[in-house]
Amino acid sequence: THQADHLGGAALKQARKALAKGQPFFISVTPTMPHWGACYAGCPPGSAAAQKADPEDPCHEFFLSDPTPPKKQGRFRPMPISPCPTVRHAHAFAGKSNPHIQSIWNVSATGPLPQSMQQYSKLNVMDTWAAEREDMGWRNRSAALLDLDFLIGDLMQGLADLGVINNTYVVFTSDNGYHLGEHKMPFGKGYPYETDVSLPMYVRGPGIAAGATFHHPTTHLDITATIVDLAEAQQHAPYSSLDGKSFKSALLSGAGSKAAAEAWRQYSFSEFFLNNDTWQQVRVINTTHRFSYAWWCTEDAEVFDLEADAFQMANLAGEEGFGKAVQEEFHAMALGLGACSGASCSALPPGAPTPPLQCYK
């Protein structure tokens, strides 16, 4: 059974159990549909027999050889991109290709490049073969999102059938974004760029105006605090113990303007830990500016003016004026947010000084 056909029913089953006991419910549904993954648990990766029997199973993408001439003895190039969509949607995007934004796809940023990004700048990793693999992965991801769309429809209809749709808050978001060729990176999700860290989030429920847009720079930690707030469960999870900040008041008041967001909090924080790809980032949004500052464990800095450079193609770190001013003001803040806890994570400045960022091994 495909997860698209299972998770909705499983979630609604839990809701029915709670309602039968006269209890409220919290259910987290975590489909992995657009994520890379094998169609069958028993798929032997790299097995020639399995690849012949089911050549479209994504498990084989970890064991690809680049056939591009001049052939380098079957150069090993894993490209694990595709999920496994349902049969009914598997070919919904046949003939389509990964949209390329010419100013960012297969183009490196100007200005200082972090060590991890220098490798992509120097190598021609985005060749024809890689682009074709990206196109296939994009088609499969898009098809899997149709499966996700139907799952969400099943959940919403199920809540309506149970008579609780107007008394239930529903939050939809993702755990990460992704890149497919942007900044010359073939595929992945773990870099401090908008493609990877800027995520969708939708919230619906009683008291929330339909179609309202909010500029608040939230994180997933804030979702936890908001759920506690909406559920009036502070006695079980005191705000002082939560790293996030509730945005319940904004949701229910409809105050989504940049000025309202600035009064709530002006920044969000992201971090990633993997060898030399270890970094910490602050993204700032207020009524006058929108920018990001990232500090890598290799002692590389990136400053992007997101108002003028939405695709982050001009690193201003080290430049006189805006670039240096951002570094001087937000470097300590980025490191501090990586070590904060509780309410201090939403206050300025964020706690005590911290040691240098170490490359995670």
Side-chain angles (χ1 to χ4, degrees):
T1 301
H2 195 281
Q3 57 181 308
D5 301 318
H6 170 74
L7 292 177
L12 293 168
K13 181 179 179 181
Q14 297 303 313
R16 283 193 292 271
K17 284 183 177 180
L19 293 172
K21 298 177 180 179
Q23 296 292 321
F25 58 83
F26 168 81
I27 301 172
S28 176
V29 184
T30 55
T32 59
M33 289 167 203
H35 197 282
W36 176 87
C39 292
Y40 305 99
C43 173
S47 162
Q51 205 159 356
K52 183 177 180 180
D54 192 359
E56 295 186 355
D57 194 306
C59 74
H60 306 302
E61 292 182 345
F62 251 125
F63 298 87
L64 295 173
S65 295
D66 182 358
T68 305
K71 191 170 183 180
K72 299 180 180 178
Q73 288 125 15
R75 183 169 49 143
F76 176 60
R77 286 188 70 181
M79 293 280 284
I81 301 173
S82 296
C84 186
T86 60
V87 173
R88 60 183 176 273
H89 291 138
H91 302 289
F93 291 84
K96 306 293 184 180
S97 59
N98 174 36
H100 295 168
I101 301 174
Q102 295 306 316
S103 59
I104 182 174
W105 190 85
N106 201 22
V107 180
S108 293
T110 60
L113 291 178
Q115 287 186 28
S116 289
M117 299 307 296
Q118 291 176 20
Q119 61 178 326
Y120 296 111
S121 177
K122 295 174 182 178
L123 299 175
N124 182 30
V125 293
M126 287 309 307
D127 53 25
T128 300
W129 180 81
E132 289 174 349
R133 298 301 308 189
E134 282 187 354
D135 287 343
M136 185 180 74
W138 179 87
R139 288 192 292 270
N140 286 327
R141 286 183 178 182
S142 299
L145 288 175
L146 288 179
D147 295 329
L148 179 61
D149 193 43
F150 275 77
L151 168 62
I152 294 171
D154 290 342
L155 286 168
M156 300 305 289
Q157 184 59 54
L159 291 173
D161 293 342
L162 291 173
V164 295
I165 188 68
N166 294 321
N167 192 39
T168 301
Y169 289 99
V170 179
V171 180
F172 172 86
T173 188
S174 175
D175 59 340
N176 56 262
Y178 69 86
H179 53 262
L180 281 180
E182 292 80 13
H183 290 266
K184 299 191 76 171
M185 299 182 292
F187 67 94
K189 59 183 180 180
Y191 288 81
Y193 305 118
E194 293 293 283
T195 52
D196 296 21
V197 301
S198 183
L199 310 178
M201 183 164 68
Y202 298 87
V203 185
R204 62 99 62 204
I208 302 175
T213 300
F214 298 84
H215 290 86
H216 297 57
T218 62
T219 71
H220 283 4
L221 297 174
D222 301 320
I223 297 176
T224 301
T226 303
I227 290 172
V228 169
D229 202 0
L230 289 168
E232 299 180 356
Q234 295 91 329
Q235 70 273 27
H236 303 292
Y239 290 144
S240 59
S241 68
L242 299 177
D243 292 351
K245 183 175 183 178
S246 171
F247 49 88
K248 172 187 172 181
S249 60
L251 290 175
L252 299 186
S253 67
S257 68
K258 287 185 178 180
E262 180 176 323
W264 179 77
R265 192 180 67 208
Q266 298 183 34
Y267 60 87
S268 63
F269 174 75
S270 302
E271 59 186 350
F272 190 79
F273 298 90
L274 181 63
N275 301 322
N276 285 351
D277 289 344
T278 300
W279 49 263
Q280 293 177 326
Q281 183 201 51
V282 176
R283 297 159 73 229
V284 174
I285 301 175
N286 55 38
T287 53
T288 58
H289 293 87
R290 182 169 175 259
F291 61 85
S292 66
Y293 172 74
W295 178 251
W296 299 66
C297 68
T298 49
E299 298 190 349
D300 295 305
E302 289 183 298
V303 176
F304 294 103
D305 181 353
L306 299 177
E307 289 286 359
D309 180 25
F311 296 131
Q312 297 168 291
M313 297 306 295
N315 180 15
L316 304 178
E319 288 193 8
E320 292 295 333
F322 184 76
K324 278 192 173 181
V326 168
Q327 284 180 260
E328 291 172 1
E329 183 172 353
F330 289 93
H331 178 74
M333 178 179 176
L335 296 178
L337 286 171
C340 70
S341 62
S344 67
C345 295
S346 291
L348 290 173
T354 58
L357 180 62
Q358 301 295 320
C359 295
Y360 184 81
K361 303 297 183 183

